[in-house]
Amino acid sequence: MIPGPIEYEHDVLSAMSKPTYAHTSKEFSEIFKDALEKTMIVFGAKEGLPYAIAGSGTLGMEISTANFIKKDSKVLVVSTGYFGDRFVDLFSRFSKNVEAYRPPLGSQADPKQIYEKVSKGGYDLVTVTHVDTSSGVRNNIKEIAKFFRDLDTILVVDGVCSIGGEDFSMEWGVDVAFTASQKALGVPPGLAVGVVGPKAIKFMEKNPPLTFYSDLRIWQNVLRTYMQGKAAYFATPAVNLIVALDVSLNMILKEGIENRIKRHQIMAESIRVAIKELGLKFIPKEGSYANTISVQYLPENVKQTDFLSDAERFGAVFAGGLIPDIKEKYFRIGHMGSITSSEVLIAIGAVERALKKNGYKVELGKGLSAAQEVLYKNSY
Ligand code: PMP
């Protein structure tokens, strides 16, 4: 139960073990077309260019930004943790005009503050991380995005820890969004998956980027050809991963996006009530919680390495911290994609026993009982 790579459905894994199609074959072209069309649906996008390109989420960060800036463009990074800050590093390769807006740890970004900054003008692009996987803080993309509909500034959303598990739609006013296959899309690591909206496409067609593999103008020709069920070539696609993506997207749409998001909400709530019942404190402030990940401090005297290895022995693998100053003081529970109530209960059971084993006073079953109530009430 780390926040990605997650546990994958059997059908997705077995799709990956099929013989590899030629990337120029009719069979693969049809599958890629289907996967791209379904990517649009999962991103809540009515128009634009979907992509699935071999690389991890960090490639998604680069593709989704480098194509939409010029040298020394003025950009604003809204950072609610480690992955927000990664954009500052990324932009430092392209621009000397990078500004960061960092709300206090655990707090969401204030949409009005973003609007005030951006409406004063001059920003070419703004990035926001929907759920920062290091802090577990979820930003209110719907409120932030609505301001961007009438602005020239391009809004880029990092949906790596959200899309496929949290409520999200490009139609809110998001210009570019992306995720990575290994998280809530439910496909092993290796694909950057995203959608580019019309405002951003217009920009990139006029402004060549300073990159090569990430140049979306080249990819656009290839992707649009595959979207007609025909093959084209720039760089070899990750054939087996795209076949697996198609299977996973079919499963997501079969469950129904609304049902899937609801399931994530209920699993997250059951974990949160349990963690609260055990007396642990969250990093995200009330109202900033994500439904894909729970991030909480360990009790003062519990050593993280001992806690994590005991929890693993008791049946659940959790992740440590990522925020430099406090990374040994907290742990993260990922609960996205195929997450079920059984896994929630195993995880909470392991948290309880690992805490007790490490000297923290805990009444075994207290967290489990709270989680059970939420699951029962919601018929899970
Ligand atoms: N953004 C977020 C929010 C992430 O959680 C991650 C990875 N955990 C990334 C970007 C980078 O993705 P990757 O590790 O696949 O390159």
Side-chain angles (χ1 to χ4, degrees), residues 56-58 61 83 86 129 131 133 158 160-161 180 182-183:
S56 77
T58 306
M61 297 175 81
F83 289 103
R86 180 169 284 192
T129 311
V131 172
T133 323
D158 175 341
V160 172
C161 194
Q182 75 269 20
K183 305 226 173 191

Side-chain angles (χ1 to χ4, degrees), residues 15-69:
M16 283 198 66
S17 68
K18 281 194 192 159
T20 305
Y21 294 110
H23 61 290
T24 47
S25 66
K26 186 77 196 140
E27 290 92 334
F28 177 66
S29 306
E30 290 293 340
I31 291 170
F32 204 174
K33 172 181 193 270
D34 196 61
L36 291 170
E37 282 171 3
K38 286 177 175 141
T39 296
M40 292 289 281
I41 302 173
V42 171
F43 277 65
K46 292 210 178 89
E47 45 182 349
L49 174 73
Y51 71 78
I53 296 177
S56 77
T58 306
L59 178 74
M61 297 175 81
E62 182 166 299
I63 289 177
S64 302
T65 51
N67 284 285
F68 312 110
I69 50 172

Side-chain angles (χ1 to χ4, degrees), residues 324-345:
D325 292 348
I326 54 169
K327 67 180 186 186
E328 271 120 43
K329 296 196 154 83
Y330 71 96
F331 73 104
R332 300 175 297 148
I333 308 176
H335 36 85
M336 59 188 118
S338 57
I339 181 81
T340 62
S341 51
S342 312
E343 287 158 341
V344 166
L345 295 174

Side-chain angles (χ1 to χ4, degrees), residues 180-197:
S181 51
Q182 75 269 20
K183 305 226 173 191
L185 287 188
V187 182
L191 282 180
V193 182
V195 175
V196 183

